[in-house]
Every structure is written in structure tokens, then in C-alpha cells.
Amino acid sequence: MAALPAAAAQSLSPIVLKIRGACPHDCPDTCSLLTTVENGVATRVQGNPDHPQTDGVLCNKVSRYTERTYHAERLLSPLRRTGPKGSGRFEPVSWDTALDEIAERLTAIAARDPQAIVPYSYCGTMGQVQGEAMAGRFFNRLGASLLDRTICASAGAEGLTQTLGGKVGMRVEFFAESRLIIIWGSNSIGSNLHFWRHVQRAKRNGAKLICIDPRLSETAEKCHEHIALLPGTDAALALALMHELIAHDWLDHDYIARHTLGWPALRERALPWSPERAAGVCGVPAEQIRSLARDYGQCFLEKQPAAIRLNYGMQRVRGGGNATRAVACLPALVGAWRHRAGGLLMSSSSLFPLDRAALQRPDLLAGRTPRTVNMSTIGDDLLLGGSPAFGPKIEALIVYNSNPVAVAPDSGQVVRGFARDDLFTVVLEQFQTDTADYADFILPATTQLEHWDIHTTYGHTDVLLNRPAIAPLGDSRPNTQVFRELAARMGFADACFLDDDETLCRAAFGDRVDFQTLLDQGFATLPLPEAPFADGGFPTPSGKCEFFSERLAAQGLDGLPDHVPNHEAAGSSADFPLAMISPPARNFMNSTFVNVKTLRAMEGEPVLEMHPHDAAARGIANGSTVRVFNARGDYRVKAEVSLRARPGVVNGLGIWWRKLGLSGTNVNQLTSQRLTDLGRGPVFYDCLVQVQAD
Ligand code: SF4
């Protein structure tokens, strides 16, 4: 066959592009993505090898991003409800029809009281633009209720802020040089994979790894030691460590004197916490506590860096704020902050010079001060009538970047709220989730491959830019476009509603981050000191690490950290004798990815890990179906009898979509709407249950 002319051959060969983006998911790693696009179709999503934090590697979940993007069940046109709420029956309608009707309904409600309209969103994308930029402008201009976004991390964030001054800490890359790494309340292999890379390097260099977690996670089994404490007892453990540091004088007196506030009072608080006392509370041997303190103190004596990777699992209990405060005091006691590889990292997000006001425009409130609704109590709040204390009854809910029917606590009550016939619900979504089933309108949303965004992170210190790799699929639209068009229909003529998404990306940091660098390489590293608190300078009011918080004391709260027992402490109920935690299944992230078939196939079905003693006492065999229940409801699940669970604690891996579970519920059927000591957060891991063979 004759060869084709060169020009013709070129026209037949695919046009292949590599587009730089950012992983949008609620994960501390915020990877830089490289998407291969062939003739307009995304064929592969890889980790960017030029981004040091990503190092060319993605997790199992996001390496399947094209499967998720082109999923046969992607929502590709606006839908209007035709069946009863929750039935999942909808009809396609045009964007004009959907937006006209939504604007009409919201305008009528706003004429009575705009606070009756509540936005509901979280980190379905971590992007600042598709998150709260245009949405924030819209709801501020409307005067809608404000949302207290507490569902994941607010107790820890508040505890950290009261102690260190903000969500600040070590730079993650320096963990590779640490001598002792304490991984506290985290399954890093499952949910902080790129941090684990640094841990591996440290281990090869002789570092000791200790994991503190009620569950024998994949991470815990790869550490040198595992301390399987009872849920909600972390502050007791931290206070006992302080006791030992004091008893052996493993204290950096110079650092304490110069860079901390409230040491005499904290010393008095810690002294009664002998390892024996803490052992009784934590359910671990006293010798294990002594050994941990020895390892920590030894680093001080040898002037070696000791580092704590604290994560959010431990703060999802009543005393989560106090526990975070107690742990965050430890590095200052031994002067660990003197080293770049010492100190603590829970979240780095306060380090970013993000201009939230430029994005979200709170000035559009124009002096109004709407009430605030806590997202963690949405179940109860949807069922409240209007009152002077609560404000107007909630009449409309606009849900984006969240799936509250599956992820909010006490989901039986959440379902009852969403099922209200007089509630007008709009859901912006990529898939027909449990929440979307209760919508009056579902609006199809773009994925990260289809829109612009800009990202901070809470696990490292780089800003990332996400450029669209492909055109929006079907009739899907970015969240920004939806709120822009609703604003236009509701007569909001402010010029800020005309900003396009690239303009919003540029506004996020202004000239504090070089946008050309973001365009050129997809990321920009913040210029930060290597050892941020080597010489004090904490961003607290005193500039010191505040063992004692005047700000808390001024609110009538305890100024010192303490052990605050769980609302539902292990052993406190004869009817519900087992404590339950609900850490993420390895192949899911909250409720995202549950509908990706290859990932769901790896998880199999909803699982409850149970210690062999607890299973035997109930005649439960490995692999059998069991009923997990408490006064709030029940959940059917497969029992995995395994040493991953400690005695007295069961692990209900989450978060399955309710409709994909065994009986139409998920683990949040059992969790409560009670709140944490600080930060008004939920207490997912403060939950007593009973288990019986089905
Ligand atoms: S490790 Fe985290 S940030 Fe990286 S691709 Fe996976 S979910 Fe995204």
C-alpha cells in the first residue's frame, strides 16, 4: 500500500496532550496530576513526576480517575423529581427550566426570610474556586444562613489554634530525617500515602515508628510498636507522657521558659496522671506508656528530632479538642521544635496566604448577620420549626460537594429531615448519591478534569493549579457557572458575578503566589522557614505555645488541656458494651469512590472488624452477616473476625452509600449528633453499640 502523504498521516495521528491538574479530594497529599488527553478524551491520569510531593505516584483511588469521569452513571443533564422523595425517580429537564424554577422558589423563600435557605457543602472538592468562591458570593449576596463546616476537623483545628495559634506545624518532607515518628490517630498508608514515603526513608535511616490507634491498621502493623488505646482516651495518654517527662526531667527547660505559656499550671495538671492511672483509662499496659515516654525523652537527651504526625481520627470524640491540645503541648516540652525534623504536623492549612475574602466576598452581606447552622446537626435542624432561638424553619437546602445523607451523623434522622415534603432541595452532583435521591432538582456537576481550580492543602506546603483537561461531559457544568446563572436570574447585578474561573484562580492568592509559575509547572512552593518554631514565634496572641489558653478561659472553659471522657465511654452501658469507630475503607474516601466498580469490588461489602474474643462471646463466625445496633438504629454488615480490632472495640469501615449497603443503611445510622468539647464537631468515634448474629 502506498504511503500516505505526510500531511494526511499527521491528520490521522491522535492529538495527544498532557494537562497538569490537582487532585481535588479530601486528602492531605493534594497530588499534582498529569492527565493524558487523546483527541479530547482523557485516557490516563498519573502523578506528576516533576512535583516533589507527588513524586509521580497516585493512590489506587485516583489512578482510576478516568473510570470515575466516564462512569456510565455520570449525571449528564439536569433532573427534576417525579417520584416521592428518596425514590430516586427523576425526569430530565433543560438547564433553563431547572434554573428558572429554582430561582423562582428561592426568590419566594428569600422574600420571607433568606435565612430559611441553607447552603450545605464540604470537601467533595478541596478546590477554592469550585468550593466556596462563587457559591460564597451567591449565598452572601442572598443573606442565606451561614454554614458551620465542622464535619471533619473542627475540634482538632480549634485545639491546634488554641495551642499553636493556627493549623501550622512541621514541613512534611522533614519527617524523613526524624529519629522517632509517632503516628497518632492516622492510617497513613490508606489516607496519607505520600507522608508514608518520608516515614519509610526515616525507617531505613534507623528511625523508630510508633502508631497510636485503636485499630491495628495497615500502618500500625508496619510500625515498630502499636499502642491500641480505647477511643477517646488520647488526652489521658498525652498527660501520662507529660507525667513521665516531668518525673525523669526529660524537659527542655530553656525552650519551656522562653517559648511557652502556662507551664506551672500544666505541670500541676499532668502530675496526677501516672502511667498506671492512664493505663486504666486507655486500656493499654502502663509499661507501654512508660516505654513511649522513654523513647520521646531519649530524643531530648540525645538532641535527636522527634516528630508527631497527628491526624483527625483522634478528635472525632467528645474530648477531641482537648486531646489535640494535650498532644500539641508535647513537642514544646522536649524542645522538639528546635529541629526541622521535630515537632508536630496535624494540618498545614493556615500557612497558605489565601485571600478568602476576595473569593467569597463576605462584604456582600452588607451588614447582615445571618444565623449559622452546624452541618453536623443537620438531621435535627431540618426537623426543627422556627423559633427565636433557632431562627426560621429551614425551607430550602442547596447541597454541593457533599453527600450528607450518607456522611452526616445519625443518618436515620438526616433521612427524616431530607424526606420533608415542604423542604426544597437542590443537589449539585456528579452521581446520583443517597442525597441526590432526596433532591427536587439534581444539577449535573463537572469533575476535576473538566474545570479550573486552585488548591491549598493541609498536608504539605505547595499551591496547585488545576487546568481543565477535557470539555464538560454532557450538559454538566462547573459549580461556579451554576451560581453565576442563579445570581443573574435572581437579579444580583454585582460585577463580581461576572468573574470567570481563571480570574477566580488568580484572585485566590493575588501577588502572594506567582500565577505564571502555577501555569508553567502546575504548583508553587511557599517560601517558609524549615524549622518554623525553632525560636518560638507561634502565631498565638502571646507568640508562645499556649499550654494555658486565656482565650478558652475567657469563654468560661478550661484553659488547660484535660482528659474529657467520651459521651459514650467504653464500658458505660450494659446494653451497648462495644465501642465503635468508623475509619475509612482503604479504597474509599468518605463516600466518594463507593460507586467506582473496581474499587467497590476490592472492598467487597460493608465490613465490621471484630476481635475474636468479642465474636466468640456472641457466637459470630468470620464472614457471617451481623446486626450492629444501638438506640439510634441498626446496620447489617459482614463480620470480619480479626486482630485488626482490639477487644471491646469494633471497626465499622466506611463510608458506604446507604443504598449500596446490605439493608439500606450505613454506619452513620449508629453515630450520634452530639458534639465535641471544642469546635462544635461531630463525634463519629464516640459511639457505643451491640452486635449480634443476624
Ligand atoms: S493520595 Fe490523596 S491527593 Fe494523592 S491522588 Fe490519592 S487522594 Fe488524591
Side-chain angles (χ1 to χ4, degrees):
M1 195 165 67
L4 286 169
Q10 203 173 6
S11 73
L12 290 178
S13 56
I15 299 171
V16 180
L17 301 171
K18 296 250 185 190
I19 309 294
R20 292 190 196 90
C23 175
H25 292 292
D26 189 358
C27 166
D29 296 18
T30 314
C31 289
S32 176
L33 308 180
L34 262 189
T35 301
T36 305
V37 181
E38 298 183 34
N39 291 331
V41 176
T43 53
R44 191 168 183 202
V45 178
Q46 296 165 275
N48 181 357
D50 298 329
H51 181 228
Q53 303 288 356
T54 306
D55 201 19
V57 177
L58 301 181
C59 65
N60 201 28
K61 299 171 278 249
V62 174
S63 57
R64 288 171 160 73
Y65 219 67
T66 54
E67 182 182 344
R68 186 172 185 278
T69 303
Y70 295 107
H71 197 296
E73 292 161 12
R74 260 296 292 278
L75 296 170
L76 297 176
S77 73
L79 299 172
R80 181 169 55 192
R81 184 166 62 86
T82 55
K85 288 202 171 184
S87 67
R89 294 211 297 275
F90 292 87
E91 63 179 0
V93 291
S94 70
W95 271 104
D96 278 343
T97 301
L99 293 174
D100 286 348
E101 284 190 34
I102 294 166
E104 194 181 323
R105 290 290 295 268
L106 296 184
T107 301
I109 295 168
R112 292 191 289 279
D113 188 339
Q115 297 175 99
I117 301 169
V118 176
Y120 196 101
S121 67
Y122 199 66
C123 290
T125 173
M126 296 284 294
Q128 298 297 331
V129 169
Q130 304 306 332
E132 304 307 327
M134 202 51 81
R137 293 177 182 193
F138 176 77
F139 290 113
N140 285 332
R141 177 66 178 74
L142 182 60
S145 287
L146 304 175
L147 185 70
D148 203 359
R149 293 184 169 81
T150 56
I151 200 133
C152 178
S154 61
E158 182 68 11
L160 213 57
T161 299
Q162 293 295 343
T163 314
L164 304 181
K167 289 179 269 180
V168 294
M170 289 173 61
R171 279 170 49 182
V172 68
E173 54 270 34
F174 296 135
F175 275 85
E177 301 167 10
S178 303
R179 190 74 187 161
L180 171 69
I181 299 177
I182 302 173
I183 300 175
W184 199 319
S186 173
N187 180 7
S188 310
I189 292 176
S191 56
N192 194 184
L193 188 63
H194 295 76
F195 160 72
W196 184 248
R197 211 172 25 125
H198 301 305
V199 175
Q200 291 294 92
R201 199 168 306 146
K203 189 179 182 185
R204 283 196 292 277
N205 291 334
K208 182 168 183 180
L209 314 180
I210 301 173
C211 186
I212 300 172
D213 190 330
R215 177 173 184 249
L216 179 64
S217 65
E218 296 87 342
T219 304
E221 66 190 358
K222 290 196 166 48
C223 287
H224 297 100
E225 279 182 30
H226 174 215
I227 300 178
L229 78 184
L230 287 165
T233 63
D234 303 77
L237 177 60
L239 287 163
L241 292 180
M242 290 179 204
H243 173 281
E244 287 297 278
L245 297 178
I246 295 165
H248 297 277
D249 198 22
W250 294 326
L251 296 168
D252 186 332
H253 293 284
D254 174 64
Y255 194 93
I256 292 170
R258 291 199 295 134
H259 304 308
T260 71
L261 187 74
W263 170 234
L266 181 64
R267 187 175 182 281
E268 291 308 305
R269 176 63 57 89
L271 277 174
W273 280 96
S274 66
E276 283 70 22
R277 179 182 173 194
V281 171
C282 301
V284 299
E287 181 44 38
Q288 206 171 25
I289 299 174
R290 282 206 178 81
S291 165
L292 175 62
R294 241 186 339 264
D295 287 336
Y296 203 56
Q298 196 66 26
C299 283
F300 162 69
L301 293 175
E302 294 176 2
K303 296 190 168 23
Q304 294 287 343
I308 300 173
R309 179 66 171 105
L310 187 61
N311 214 342
Y312 289 107
M314 49 76 74
Q315 50 93 68
R316 295 191 179 121
V317 293
R318 178 184 176 203
N322 265 274
T324 304
R325 274 182 52 57
V327 178
C329 291
L330 292 169
L333 292 177
V334 296
W337 293 113
R338 292 182 188 276
H339 310 270
R340 71 179 192 176
L344 173 144
L345 175 64
M346 187 179 209
S347 167
S348 57
S349 55
S350 298
L351 296 170
F352 290 84
L354 176 70
D355 191 348
R356 271 201 183 79
L359 292 176
Q360 302 176 18
R361 298 290 306 271
D363 57 296
L364 293 168
L365 283 167
R368 295 168 294 177
T369 52
R371 58 107 180 260
T372 299
V373 172
N374 186 343
M375 69 190 312
S376 299
T377 54
I378 192 66
D380 283 347
D381 290 347
L382 282 175
L383 295 168
L384 286 178
S387 70
F390 181 61
K393 180 176 180 174
I394 298 173
E395 293 187 57
L397 201 57
I398 316 296
V399 182
Y400 51 104
N401 306 333
S402 186
N403 181 11
V405 170
V407 306
D410 192 4
S411 56
Q413 186 79 334
V414 178
V415 165
R416 284 186 282 279
F418 271 82
R420 266 178 45 201
D421 272 332
D422 62 344
L423 178 72
F424 180 62
T425 305
V426 179
V427 176
L428 284 64
E429 250 304 350
Q430 297 156 353
F431 295 99
Q432 196 166 330
T433 59
D434 290 330
T435 305
D437 282 346
Y438 287 86
D440 292 281
F441 283 95
I442 309 175
L443 303 179
T446 45
T447 69
Q448 188 78 342
L449 300 192
E450 299 151 67
H451 55 226
W452 283 91
D453 219 325
I454 193 161
H455 289 253
T456 61
T457 160
Y458 56 97
H460 59 74
T461 46
D462 294 350
V463 176
L464 278 85
L465 182 70
N466 186 75
R467 301 172 82 142
I470 56 173
L473 294 196
D475 269 343
S476 63
R477 292 184 179 177
N479 291 350
T480 44
Q481 192 178 341
V482 174
F483 288 110
R484 244 181 240 120
E485 295 188 24
L486 279 175
R489 280 170 166 80
M490 293 178 71
F492 301 164
D494 314 69
C496 66
F497 289 108
L498 300 177
D499 287 348
D500 65 20
D501 288 5
E502 187 183 338
T503 302
L504 292 170
C505 287
R506 288 177 185 272
F509 292 97
D511 56 11
R512 289 176 294 275
V513 172
D514 181 35
F515 201 76
Q516 194 57 47
T517 302
L518 291 172
L519 287 170
D520 291 345
Q521 63 178 24
F523 64 93
T525 301
L526 296 178
L528 293 167
E530 293 189 348
F533 309 125
D535 203 18
F538 293 90
T540 52
S542 63
K544 299 183 176 192
C545 173
E546 296 196 348
F547 298 153
F548 183 84
S549 168
E550 293 283 1
R551 290 176 291 175
L552 289 178
Q555 296 169 44
L557 300 171
D558 192 346
L560 291 170
D562 203 353
H563 167 59
V564 178
N566 277 1
H567 294 295
E568 299 181 11
S572 65
S573 164
D575 291 339
F576 307 115
L578 297 168
M580 185 187 76
I581 59 172
S582 42
R586 185 162 174 185
N587 292 293
F588 303 154
M589 182 175 303
N590 303 319
S591 70
T592 307
F593 300 104
V594 179
N595 64 327
V596 175
K597 288 198 176 69
T598 56
L599 294 172
R600 193 163 79 241
M602 284 180 223
E603 291 299 329
E605 54 190 312
V607 158
L608 185 84
E609 294 171 347
M610 200 169 190
H611 189 272
H613 291 165
D614 292 326
R618 292 164 177 79
I620 290 169
N622 187 34
S624 62
T625 303
V626 295
R627 178 173 164 256
V628 196
F629 62 98
N630 60 20
R632 290 176 287 273
D634 65 357
Y635 173 45
R636 286 176 64 249
V637 70
K638 185 177 87 174
E640 209 163 272
V641 179
S642 138
L643 294 177
R644 287 211 184 279
R646 58 155 287 159
V649 180
V650 290
N651 311 321
L653 305 186
I655 300 175
W656 282 74
W657 290 13
R658 290 166 62 90
K659 60 185 170 187
L660 296 177
L662 297 183
S663 55
T665 60
N666 71 9
V667 71
N668 280 323
Q669 194 79 4
L670 307 171
T671 55
S672 84
Q673 293 182 71
R674 300 179 82 167
L675 299 177
T676 51
D677 53 349
L678 302 177
R680 307 162 304 284
V683 293
F684 290 111
Y685 297 0
D686 180 345
C687 176
L688 290 181
V689 299
Q690 178 58 293
V691 182
Q692 67 183 31
D694 199 29

